[in-house]
Amino acid sequence: MEKVHIKINDIPLEVEEGTSILQAARSINIYIPTLCYLSLHIVHEHKINASCRVCVVEIKGRRNLAPSCSTKCTEGMEIYTNTQRVIRARRTVIELLLSDHPTECAMCEKNLKCQLQKIAAKMNIREIPYVGEVSKPNEYIKSEALKRDKAKCILCGNCVEVCSKVQDCNVLTFSHRGFKTFVGPAFDVNLDESKCVACGQCVNVCPTGALSQTSCINEVWEAIHDKTKHVVVQVAPAVRVALGEEFGYSLGTAVTGKMVTALRTLGFEKVFDTNFGADLTIMEESNELIERLKEGKNLPLITSCCPGWISFIESEYPEYLSLPSTCKSPHEMFGAMVKSYYAEKMGIEKKDILVVSIMPCLAKKKEIRRPQLANDGYPNVDYVLTTRELANMIKEIGIDFDALENGRFDNPLGESSGAADIFGVSGGVLEAALRNAMLTTEGKCKNVDFMDVRGYEGLKEADIKLNGMDLKVAAVNGLKNARKVMEQIREGKCQYQAIEIMACPGGCINGGGQPFHQRKMSKTIIGKRMEGLYMQDMSKKNRISQQNPYIQKLYQEYLEKPGSEKAHKYLHTSFSKRITIIK
Amino acid sequence: MENDKKKFDELDEYIKTIHATEHELIAVLHRAQHILSYLPREVQEFIADRLQIPVSKVYGVVTFYSFFTMEKKGKYVINVCLGTACFVRGADKIMKAFEDRLGIKNGETTPDGKFTLSSLRCVGACGLAPVVQVNGKTYGNATIETVEQILKEYEGE
């Protein structure tokens, strides 16, 4: 790579050709504010929108100011990042944006996390000199999982970028023009009527409060304080390595113990672990895989834990609905066990139990409404809160998170193997299933680390020998990659026998309900959370699902064996073609 | 409905003849509006399906260009030129006269579906200003009186 020599604020610097001015400035700790800048480099090479013009700089010899995010450094370039002209232009941009933006910051979902708010604070904006019309009314448009507010949209295009280029869902689009431009689904329908799968990646990259989650915090508080209800909570694996970010912990720190104590303090009667449900999923799913391989039918088996992916296949590839595993997702299995096994064991009536799931995911909010995910007339799970919502609840009642003692999950539904922890990363479900299938069929699983299916790549392949059979398996993340694999299947070119698919890039650790990553889908954030989960796995005594003694007990006392009639009733589900108003 | 099917077939035929891909989206929308007079949701979905592109993209383009419309137009579309030359010669008064006489505003359609009133910017016949077009037929040197004559010509039909 060629090197070019530049000067930023008179500091000489050598950078690789193709480096943007913004990257060059950051490398020597010169601060240039950004608003729309989106870094998706672990996912795909994307075009920089340069739509907000907050990051403009002055370049010697150039008439106009240049956006530093999309302008490449060239030989001899002399750049100034803080001249009076630059600062004035930046202020004007922010003032103009604010002149058409609601100023109800104190009530906004993104209060203190909004990029526009932060920049306005940094630039010392105290009044807006522009008076005029406001383009859109300030109103929330709610869908099952997402909440939109057009008035707060600054038209940066980040959500459109992830929805189309990363997820290939193409739901969000710019429509109309000029002052009337807005972002939304075609024909301005509600997201629930579109093909939106509620992955929530758009929420993660939105710099303002234009996109957020549909919250159920108030309903959960009501439930907790309702003395007639027995409210239990379960926590997904990806939550424990991200929740700490909301309380100042370094990236990827597992705060499991403190989280458990916090949940108890919030008032939940029992604090259980979705990991238990994950171990259960593996018992059923690896059994299903072995059966399908024996019969040579309905292959490749595709995982079904991810509700975003399930929504996607139900609307885009309904002719292949025999391929996903019939297993419910771990938290749904868990809920089904709470309202049957646990209820009977404890002598509590099903109607009096409420199950709350803490998830890194927005699609789970939509998933719990599926009529197929209910038993004996009660939904398996009643409420889904995201990692962010949990943090909000902890803050709301003034818990000093850092000072909490480390607690332990309640039993019998709180114990898990290391295989369950890695459900939160791309490749983890597949790895867990392989460990278990190997132990079941061969009687041993010497090496539990399947390194080939780990990492951020959108498609990871591995050749596995299972009980004398040569298998080709793949772990896929991001719906764009899922579409590629489905097209291979459609063309009859798919060579895999088992595929794991997760809708979010990197897996659940980068889910739509996780603490905001400030529009940087980077190795430093996603990678640290990933490491955190593999560390959890390593620290466990048992690393294969069937080694979990409580799982063994559950089968002995209640479910008999994987794939039994009772297991089918409570732990398996069905899929159907999803018809949306917008095709 | 039978009539609509014919129109969809005609559009489909056009898409096939030019081997349209996503790059021909605007040309296809043009033809579709010519055939159907407007671009309702079904037409946009049809085009998205034929060109193998997301309907959100089609919708984005349709709403971006003011030429494309999702509203059903009247049998006769009256276009009053509001370009500079026509305007200085009183086109605004012509527009007002049409609005008063038809009881609708610029951009609207009469309840009986007969007339749509709209405006355009310069048809290149400034020597005849102010200019009015009805379904492509041009009327020059329009006055308040000719507004009445023009409407009479079509009201009988």
Side-chain angles (χ1 to χ4, degrees):
Chain A
M1 191 70 80
E2 287 277 318
K3 297 275 184 192
V4 294
H5 301 83
I6 59 166
K7 272 185 190 170
I8 304 182
N9 299 347
D10 297 325
I11 303 168
L13 186 65
E14 187 187 77
V15 293
E16 279 185 5
E17 201 182 358
T19 309
S20 70
I21 295 174
L22 182 66
Q23 286 165 330
R26 282 185 180 175
S27 73
I28 53 168
N29 298 320
I30 290 177
Y31 173 79
I32 300 174
T34 59
L35 181 52
C36 74
Y37 183 63
L38 180 64
S39 167
L40 295 175
H41 68 269
I42 66 159
V43 182
H44 78 140
E45 279 296 318
H46 72 109
K47 203 174 120 262
I48 303 277
N49 279 334
S51 57
C52 76
R53 304 276 149 171
V54 161
C55 69
V56 286
V57 292
E58 201 167 341
I59 299 171
K60 199 174 171 184
R62 245 194 227 201
R63 196 163 54 95
N64 292 332
L65 298 177
S68 62
C69 62
S70 65
T71 310
K72 304 265 186 274
C73 297
T74 54
E75 185 56 42
M77 207 180 233
E78 287 180 45
I79 301 145
Y80 295 93
T81 68
N82 52 14
T83 60
Q84 197 185 12
R85 189 176 165 214
V86 165
I87 302 300
R88 221 175 247 165
R90 255 179 223 160
R91 284 185 66 99
T92 306
V93 168
I94 302 294
E95 284 165 357
L96 281 168
L97 281 169
L98 287 172
S99 73
D100 189 23
H101 190 92
T103 43
E104 46 144 60
C105 293
M107 276 105 67
C108 180
E109 187 85 31
K110 284 254 175 85
N111 189 17
L112 303 178
K113 287 170 185 162
C114 166
Q115 195 66 13
L116 182 59
Q117 189 187 38
K118 278 184 194 162
I119 291 176
K122 273 198 173 138
M123 300 294 295
N124 288 313
I125 309 283
R126 292 290 172 268
E127 60 179 336
I128 298 172
Y130 309 101
V131 198
E133 262 183 84
V134 172
S135 61
K136 289 134 216 142
N138 185 202
E139 57 171 350
Y140 286 118
I141 311 159
K142 282 190 186 178
S143 66
E144 286 171 346
L146 279 85
K147 203 164 74 173
R148 298 193 295 134
D149 188 346
K150 288 186 207 166
K152 289 180 185 157
C153 178
I154 57 164
L155 304 174
C156 68
N158 285 353
C159 56
V160 178
E161 178 83 10
V162 289
C163 192
S164 56
K165 303 282 167 51
V166 177
Q167 297 296 61
D168 203 6
C169 287
N170 304 297
V171 171
L172 295 175
T173 183
F174 282 105
S175 62
H176 301 82
R177 73 192 292 179
F179 199 54
K180 290 181 184 148
T181 310
F182 67 84
V183 171
F187 311 108
D188 207 21
V189 297
N190 188 289
L191 281 174
D192 289 333
E193 296 167 327
S194 75
K195 283 206 289 196
C196 173
V197 303
C199 68
Q201 287 302 315
C202 53
V203 177
N204 282 0
V205 298
C206 179
T208 70
L211 284 160
S212 56
Q213 69 219 338
T214 304
S215 175
C216 59
I217 290 181
N218 292 339
E219 289 87 335
V220 171
W221 279 130
E222 287 295 318
I224 287 175
H225 296 301
D226 184 344
K227 290 283 163 268
T228 65
K229 299 288 182 202
H230 182 82
V231 187
V232 307
V233 68
Q234 54 165 326
V235 196
V239 175
R240 64 205 66 185
V241 290
L243 180 66
E245 291 168 31
E246 292 270 351
F247 299 97
Y249 285 79
S250 61
L251 289 159
T253 311
V255 291
T256 322
K258 289 186 192 299
M259 176 184 74
V260 170
T261 310
L263 286 165
R264 248 179 224 126
T265 316
L266 292 181
F268 290 107
E269 303 221 18
K270 293 282 179 188
V271 181
F272 291 137
D273 198 349
T274 307
N275 277 10
F276 182 87
D279 274 336
L280 195 53
T281 305
I282 284 305
M283 295 299 286
E284 294 294 324
E285 199 161 307
S286 68
N287 178 62
E288 199 179 357
L289 175 64
I290 294 166
E291 291 294 318
R292 287 200 200 178
L293 285 171
K294 248 189 236 164
E295 293 172 11
K297 250 185 16 197
N298 293 334
L299 291 171
L301 175 131
I302 310 179
T303 57
S304 58
C305 300
C306 171
W309 149 243
I310 290 299
S311 288
F312 186 78
I313 188 174
E314 283 187 330
S315 60
E316 302 276 333
Y317 297 93
E319 64 274 35
Y320 293 106
L321 287 176
S322 62
L323 298 182
S325 155
T326 58
C327 288
K328 288 180 185 174
S329 62
H331 86 123
E332 294 287 345
M333 280 200 182
F334 183 92
M337 283 299 100
V338 168
K339 292 189 184 181
S340 57
Y341 172 67
Y342 172 79
E344 288 167 32
K345 216 176 157 86
M346 301 291 286
I348 308 170
E349 282 199 59
K350 288 172 192 177
K351 69 172 173 56
D352 295 330
I353 299 185
L354 289 175
V355 178
V356 178
S357 303
I358 315 286
M359 295 282 136
C361 182
L362 290 187
K364 295 275 181 202
K365 283 180 180 275
K366 202 175 159 87
E367 182 192 28
I368 56 169
R369 293 163 189 254
R370 289 171 72 93
Q372 299 100 309
L373 294 173
N375 287 102
D376 312 315
Y378 299 100
N380 295 146
V381 173
D382 300 277
Y383 299 107
V384 166
L385 294 168
T386 61
T387 312
R388 294 192 295 265
E389 285 175 287
L390 172 61
N392 289 347
M393 288 176 81
I394 293 171
K395 288 171 188 166
E396 189 180 341
I397 62 162
I399 295 174
D400 180 353
F401 192 78
D402 198 35
L404 291 174
E405 298 277 326
N406 283 329
R408 286 184 71 86
F409 285 113
D410 288 307
N411 271 323
L413 308 174
E415 186 73 30
S416 64
S417 75
D421 284 299
I422 56 174
F423 259 61
V425 293
S426 166
V429 178
L430 184 64
E431 181 168 344
L434 290 173
R435 288 179 191 176
N436 204 59
M438 212 160 260
L439 185 59
T440 308
T441 55
E442 299 179 9
K444 60 178 192 303
C445 178
K446 267 216 305 246
N447 185 8
V448 292
D449 296 314
F450 294 80
M451 301 309 284
D452 289 352
V453 295
R454 297 187 183 182
Y456 331 86
E457 290 72 36
L459 172 74
K460 293 162 285 183
E461 290 184 347
D463 292 302
I464 306 284
K465 236 181 158 54
L466 181 68
N467 201 23
M469 263 187 292
D470 287 316
L471 297 187
K472 217 173 167 60
V473 297
V476 178
N477 64 82
L479 289 172
K480 185 181 187 177
N481 299 313
R483 194 188 286 281
K484 282 186 200 152
V485 171
M486 288 312 292
E487 286 303 323
Q488 280 181 19
I489 292 176
R490 184 175 269 172
E491 290 161 16
K493 288 180 187 156
C494 173
Q495 297 174 347
Y496 312 118
Q497 283 82 33
I499 307 171
E500 174 209 283
I501 296 182
M502 292 188 186
C504 293
C508 316
I509 42 166
N510 185 28
Q514 291 283 61
F516 295 118
H517 54 47
Q518 302 302 331
R519 297 163 310 288
K520 286 192 279 289
M521 249 182 240
S522 68
K523 285 183 186 169
T524 43
I525 296 180
I526 312 309
K528 290 283 182 210
R529 290 179 188 164
M530 204 174 253
E531 273 170 35
L533 280 183
Y534 283 115
M535 299 265 277
Q536 290 274 297
D537 170 30
M538 297 266 281
S539 72
K540 293 274 172 83
K541 187 169 96 236
N542 298 320
R543 297 186 59 196
I544 303 175
S545 297
Q546 57 184 280
Q547 293 169 336
N548 179 347
Y550 288 93
I551 288 282
Q552 292 297 347
K553 205 166 152 209
L554 172 65
Y555 277 102
Q556 279 159 21
E557 289 180 8
Y558 200 69
L559 294 169
E560 295 161 36
K561 61 178 182 17
S564 70
E565 200 177 309
K566 209 162 192 174
H568 264 280
K569 176 178 169 189
Y570 287 109
L571 308 179
H572 290 256
T573 184
S574 61
F575 310 109
S576 53
K577 183 176 175 174
R578 179 166 160 237
I579 297 158
T580 49
I581 293 190
I582 300 296
K583 281 187 209 131
Chain B
M1 219 38 225
E2 192 51 33
N3 204 9
D4 269 2
K5 186 174 176 317
K6 246 182 163 163
K7 289 176 178 171
F8 272 87
D9 286 344
E10 189 184 338
L11 178 59
D12 203 15
E13 193 56 41
Y14 172 74
I15 292 170
K16 278 183 195 143
T17 4
I18 65 160
H19 303 288
T21 64
E22 68 175 303
H23 305 294
E24 280 77 38
L25 174 61
I26 290 181
V28 172
L29 287 170
H30 242 275
R31 179 57 70 104
Q33 185 157 307
H34 178 75
I35 297 169
L36 292 124
S37 87
Y38 72 125
L39 300 167
R41 182 194 278 192
E42 302 75 52
V43 176
Q44 294 183 40
E45 285 176 343
F46 178 83
I47 292 170
D49 179 62
R50 287 296 189 274
L51 303 189
Q52 292 283 300
I53 53 175
V55 71
S56 56
K57 185 161 189 171
V58 179
Y59 178 74
V61 172
V62 168
T63 54
F64 183 83
Y65 292 103
S66 59
F67 173 81
F68 296 126
T69 174
M70 289 175 61
E71 303 285 324
K72 199 171 167 69
K73 293 253 169 113
K75 190 174 175 193
Y76 301 104
V77 180
I78 303 166
N79 267 315
V80 181
C81 177
L82 294 181
T84 313
C86 290
F87 201 88
V88 296
R89 300 204 48 170
D92 56 330
K93 292 184 191 74
I94 306 287
M95 177 60 93
K96 179 84 175 34
F98 274 115
E99 284 180 344
D100 289 347
R101 176 65 168 68
L102 294 169
I104 55 171
K105 290 267 168 244
N106 180 6
E108 293 177 350
T109 302
T110 52
D112 62 0
K114 191 136 196 177
F115 294 106
T116 294
L117 186 58
S118 66
S119 59
L120 40 75
R121 294 276 185 278
C122 196
V123 291
C126 307
L128 301 174
V131 169
V132 173
Q133 281 187 332
V134 181
N135 284 9
K137 186 173 169 190
T138 307
Y139 299 82
N141 299 321
T143 60
I144 308 285
E145 289 72 44
T146 50
V147 165
E148 197 55 39
Q149 279 172 22
I150 292 168
L151 287 175
K152 282 240 171 69
E153 186 180 336
Y154 296 97
E155 267 168 346
E157 288 185 30

